[in-house]
Amino acid sequence: MEYDAVIFDNDGVLTTLTDHEKLRRASAYAFETHGVEDPTRDDLETLFSPTVEGVHDIANRYDIDADSLWAARERAAIEEQREAIVSGEKTLYGDVTTITDLEVPRAIVSNNQHETIETIVDYFDLEGFDPYYGREPTIAGIERKKPTPYYLENAIDDMGCSNPLYVGDSWVDVAVSETIGIDSVFLRRSHREAYQFSQYGFDGEPTYEIAGLDGLPAILD
């Protein structure tokens, strides 16, 4: 099948994953700035992997503003990741070089913050990835995360493509592709060796599965 664009997830696809401890530290900082000195582990996990309902529940329980709490968490997460990028802890995967000369347009759609994706594009000089989308650092941004198709649809509209291919490393990437009716590639890197969609209650299947980005050009030929 002929594809007229390729859109990539970021974390675990283009760049290495962010250390979870950094994101938990960002959550702890958000609580601290709102006078909560000893949040429970469940509270930290809620801000680590958020839902709109979860953030509002915590805010109501501690009588703090949900928007302000989440904005503080996002700002701290952005700064933690910026530091990891500049220090060399969060890096590009080596096989990204195998997709820099693709003849079709490329873009990025990630559940990470847009500012973090912007830092990655600028710092690693990812020319040719246009547009790139991450979520807004707001509660509305949580609602728009994959598998919601909001950002992916925006990217497709911006590119003016009719048959793009989406490359990701999570069930949400396959699910969002199915939602809007495009083909998907599941990238099973080493951190996904034992990963099963059924663990998350998802029974869909990717169109293709590859072990590294160096397998992508063959799909596009």
Side-chain angles (χ1 to χ4, degrees):
M1 181 173 292
E2 186 172 344
Y3 300 103
D4 58 358
V6 183
I7 305 173
F8 298 86
D9 179 35
N10 178 70
D11 297 271
V13 175
L14 301 177
T15 69
T16 56
L17 299 173
T18 303
D19 183 353
H20 285 186
E21 186 55 38
K22 288 184 175 293
L23 299 181
R24 290 190 178 92
R25 192 157 62 223
S27 297
Y29 173 81
F31 282 113
E32 181 182 338
T33 59
H34 287 78
V36 181
E37 297 182 358
D38 192 24
T40 68
R41 181 175 180 81
D42 285 346
D43 290 341
L44 292 174
E45 287 299 316
T46 296
L47 292 196
F48 174 78
S49 184
T51 63
V52 173
E53 181 181 9
V55 174
H56 279 291
D57 285 349
I58 286 177
N60 289 337
R61 183 149 37 88
Y62 288 108
D63 194 24
I64 55 183
D65 181 73
D67 292 314
S68 177
L69 176 66
W70 183 245
R73 186 272 185 193
E74 290 287 76
R75 174 45 51 191
I78 289 167
E79 295 305 324
E80 288 278 0
Q81 292 185 95
R82 187 191 310 276
E83 179 182 317
I85 291 163
V86 172
S87 69
E89 181 180 346
K90 185 176 178 68
T91 65
L92 282 183
Y93 285 104
D95 58 9
V96 171
T97 58
T98 67
I99 61 170
T100 55
D101 294 327
L102 296 179
E103 294 183 358
V104 295
R106 290 160 289 151
I108 300 171
V109 172
S110 170
N111 274 353
N112 213 327
Q113 303 90 7
H114 183 78
E115 189 172 336
T116 297
I117 302 305
E118 187 171 48
T119 297
I120 288 166
V121 169
D122 291 344
Y123 187 82
F124 294 115
D125 196 22
L126 292 180
E127 294 184 0
F129 288 85
D130 182 31
Y132 52 85
Y133 276 94
R135 70 170 186 262
E136 303 112 302
T138 62
I139 289 179
I142 300 175
E143 289 184 301
R144 293 168 174 170
K145 291 195 310 175
K146 298 172 292 183
T148 299
Y150 180 83
Y151 296 115
L152 186 54
E153 288 179 331
N154 281 352
I156 291 170
D157 287 345
D158 288 349
M159 300 175 84
C161 54
S162 60
N163 190 33
L165 183 66
Y166 190 57
V167 182
D169 73 328
S170 169
W171 74 269
V172 300
D173 301 315
V174 178
V176 71
S177 301
E178 288 190 357
T179 296
I180 62 176
I182 65 173
D183 287 354
S184 62
V185 178
F186 178 67
L187 183 59
R188 193 178 290 277
R189 293 197 185 276
S190 58
H191 68 279
R192 293 303 200 202
E193 281 185 358
Y195 187 86
Q196 298 294 327
F197 298 156
S198 59
Q199 294 174 275
Y200 303 90
F202 178 64
D203 61 2
E205 294 288 341
T207 314
Y208 311 95
E209 181 174 314
I210 56 178
L213 291 176
D214 53 352
L216 186 60
I219 293 174
L220 297 173
D221 284 346

